[in-house]
Amino acid sequence: MKRPENELTAKDFQKNTKTARRLLAYLLRATDRAINIKSMSRDRFNSRSGEIETSLVPLAVSEHTGLGFYRAFCARFGVSVSGADSEWGPIEVWLPEGRMRWDALLAAIDYSDLRLVIQENPGFFASFATNRDEIIGEDEEFDMFPEPKTVGCYIPKLPEVLIQPRALRTVWTTIGPLSRGADSKTGNVTMFGRELAINPLTGKRAYVPLFSGNSVRGMMRDQIMGRWLGLLGVKTTDLPPFRAHALLSGGHVDKGADGAKVNNEVRSRVRGVCPPWDLVAGCIEQQIMSGRARVNDAIIVCQETAWQTYGAVNPGVPLLEWAESLPEACMMTTMRLETHHKHAEIPESDGDQMLVNIEVIPKGCQLMHSFQLWGIDGVEPVTQACFADWLEDFRAIGYVGAKNAHGMGGIAFDPYLPGPGTPELPDPAIYLDFVEKHKQEAIDWLMSPKASTDAVPSAAKPKVKRGKKELVEEPIQPDAAFEDGLL
Amino acid sequence: MTHPSGSEFMSPSPEYIRNTWAFANSSWREAARRHWSPRPTDSVKVTAWMAAPVAWDGYDPITLEGALQSAVVLRETGRTPDDVFVGCPSDASLEDADIQIPISDVPIHVEGRAIPIACCSVGRFSEDAVPTLRYIRKRPRAENYRTKIVNIAMAEYKASNIPVATVTCTSITFWVLGDAERLRDLLRDCGHLGAHRSGGLGSVLGWEVTVDATSAHWPAWQDERGRLMRSVPDSLCEYAIGFERRAANLRAPYWHKRTQALCKVPIVEVAA
């Protein structure tokens, strides 16, 4: 391809997603061609498409401007944007209709569009950038890609007054970086999970960091069961494994549990003897049960979610004004660099030394969170008191998410307040008294075998051994980790 | 008593009837009928403004009646519906197991039996709705179990990461003929729609209940363009559009096959 004669500027382009996708693809192609093969190993050079693919999302997330993103990208691949390492001058992008200097091109891209198209498919950019020869007609393909977000397609009229479901709400403020953990890994970067959300004020779609209610519920289950067992003075390793599994992980659906006879005795006994179970429930002894607690997603306070959060966070300010004062969702995360040291000086050290990047919500951000007690009027006072007790405990612990041992996930919040029509929770002392009075009954239940094993095939029809050693349930010595606490 | 075939058979004894689930639960069901039957029949538009995506597999539409029935059970008994309905035989008749909600019904004869069809449309997603995906993770706390080895890859302690098809939208709307005041009251206990509610899916930010006193036609079953708005027996809504013909259930709870019949089921679309 010959150098185009026509010089383009940012004003020649309309800022939108399609423009961002096309210009970024050509920019990365130009950058790839500026990579000096001598600046890296041949293996790395040959596999650079993979490196480009895995580096794009973390770089787009960790930087907050187009210039910053491109600086970081060029630094990673040893490219001088000013052309210091070549005789050709600053990097120039060759488009079919003309040429453009890299900085003019970045000025034509909105950064939220850049993030959106990168998160849509980083592999596309890596493929386009590293393709050896231009393909005839490839530029026309950009027009065929659908828009990943729709601008102004539907803007509903938001209601002025809503009937709020009865719930308890608060607003968390992060006092340390918040990691969600367990999302997709991009290279050596663990990302913060995102979910598509719609901003009804603008009609735009965006990927908003997601802290799901299910993850809060898992943490709640751990803490509330741990506290109950702690009050009883029982260790989880003292329990029959099936019961520990039910209490701490919700149990499993035995074969036949879905069609098994409903055992009223088991159901009422477990709800009566174990108030935390009444809240989180699960499947126990072939009984699939519903918990009373419904744990909602923690909604991060940003422009896209302003319509959901303004009533809880800043009710006095008009919605539009409030939304405009907030950052966009794409600006709500940053990168945290951690290192894992090999300690090679220690003989037989078999660790790997590596750098690990974790995408986090930085400290100072806010998330709106709520719980609902399903049919709160009929929830037993002891169960409500158990919930109140745990809320106090949760506030005192003040950690959510992953990497707590690394100092991440610290949050601060005011006590959860009942919404309109929601009764106050009772005094936690009711729960503590109950546990004290029914201690022996609870321990007897915890240590008891399964109430019924009718439909458990392993119990009814023991399988013929085929030479494999059967795992036998037997007590193990509690290790030091369990000496101090339960979990 | 004589069977239509001519043979005589025994009617159930009073003692048997007293031991049935229907008899044991007749008092609260009667109270529910008194408290929650629709007094005035308003044309009500119920909009759920969503705080989270709703779990929806694209097959059976989202409905409101089941959520309202749950709320009635909780209000009247203080217990969860799954606890209340333990012992209820799966072949119990509608008369013995139906739960009153403040939505009007129209009894329709289907295959020789009268089934009350609720005057309530299925949920229609707002135009900005988009299909999404949510993963629901579950992991065993293996280090706390009293076994030497916990296999988290299979069997009872298996860790799971289950994808759930969801729809992200700003609102879901239902058109109802029913009692607006009672609906407003009951909806405060309906915090979620769809499945996987305990982990926050289908969480409702708030309900908007508006009464339209002027409308001559209310699209609870069929809208003005003829689009079908809820599942109806195949014999009804002859000139409807926007439906598929298949077996479906006509009365909440819709998972129960008690009222299964050949139906016209509305097609609910979500824009890509």
Side-chain angles (χ1 to χ4, degrees), chain A residues 180 182-186 189-193, chain B residues 137:
Chain A
R180 200 190 78 161
D183 193 64
S184 58
K185 273 190 119 182
T186 306
V189 184
T190 301
M191 305 301 296
F192 202 102
Chain B
R137 297 189 171 91

Side-chain angles (χ1 to χ4, degrees), chain B residues 24 64 69 86 94 131 139 149 154 180 185 190 227-228 230:
Chain B
L64 184 63
Q69 284 189 345
V86 294
L94 258 184
R139 65 180 173 85
I149 297 169
M154 61 183 290
D185 183 12
C190 298
R227 189 174 57 156
L228 193 69
R230 65 155 294 132

Side-chain angles (χ1 to χ4, degrees), chain A residues 163 245 251 262 271 292 297, chain B residues 78 83 86 134 138 145 207:
Chain A
I163 302 165
H245 184 52
V262 177
R271 281 197 199 274
R292 292 289 200 157
D297 297 344
Chain B
D83 277 359
V86 294
R134 173 77 68 94
K138 178 185 164 182
Y145 303 166
W207 297 94

Side-chain angles (χ1 to χ4, degrees), chain B residues 70-138:
Chain B
S70 284
V72 167
V73 173
L74 288 158
R75 287 277 184 98
E76 295 298 331
T77 68
R79 298 163 66 207
T80 60
D82 57 341
D83 277 359
V84 171
F85 276 78
V86 294
C88 181
S90 58
D91 58 351
S93 65
L94 258 184
E95 292 75 30
D96 286 343
D98 199 29
I99 303 161
Q100 181 69 55
I101 52 173
I103 293 179
S104 301
D105 299 317
V106 176
I108 301 288
H109 280 271
V110 184
E111 297 167 8
R113 57 201 169 134
I115 297 177
I117 311 287
C119 295
C120 178
S121 75
V122 299
R124 291 280 175 186
F125 299 111
S126 53
E127 288 180 33
D128 51 16
V130 59
T132 46
L133 190 70
R134 173 77 68 94
Y135 280 89
I136 296 194
R137 297 189 171 91
K138 178 185 164 182

Side-chain angles (χ1 to χ4, degrees), chain A residues 154 157-159 162-163 165-166 180 182 195-196 198 200 205 210 212-214 217-218 222 236-242 244-245 248-249 251-252 262 264 267 271 289-290 292 294-297 299 307-308 372 374 378 421 474-475 482 486-487, chain B residues 49-53 74-75 78-83 86 126-130 132-134 136-141 143-149 156-157 168-170 184 188-192 197-200 203-209 272:
Chain A
Y154 170 71
K157 183 180 179 301
L158 292 174
L162 283 177
I163 302 165
R166 297 198 287 178
R180 200 190 78 161
E195 195 165 65
L196 198 68
I198 302 154
R205 294 174 187 169
L210 167 70
S212 75
N214 205 49
R217 191 166 178 271
D222 286 345
T236 53
T237 45
D238 296 337
L239 306 179
F242 80 91
H245 184 52
L248 301 174
S249 297
H252 61 278
V262 177
N264 243 336
R267 298 173 80 93
R271 281 197 199 274
M289 299 172 69
S290 304
R292 292 289 200 157
R294 297 217 165 144
V295 189
N296 293 326
D297 297 344
I299 301 173
W307 71 285
Q308 294 171 315
Q372 195 186 14
W374 191 31
E474 57 183 75
F482 296 120
L486 284 158
L487 296 172
Chain B
W49 293 90
M50 304 304 291
L74 288 158
R75 287 277 184 98
R79 298 163 66 207
T80 60
D82 57 341
D83 277 359
V86 294
S126 53
E127 288 180 33
D128 51 16
V130 59
T132 46
L133 190 70
R134 173 77 68 94
I136 296 194
R137 297 189 171 91
K138 178 185 164 182
R139 65 180 173 85
R141 272 53 173 174
E143 65 275 21
N144 294 298
Y145 303 166
R146 193 183 60 194
T147 50
K148 278 186 177 174
I149 297 169
E156 65 265 42
Y157 301 129
T168 299
C169 59
T170 46
R184 283 194 184 99
R188 291 185 303 129
D189 279 340
C190 298
H192 299 78
R197 299 175 292 272
S198 60
S203 168
V204 177
L205 184 71
W207 297 94
E208 188 186 13
V209 178

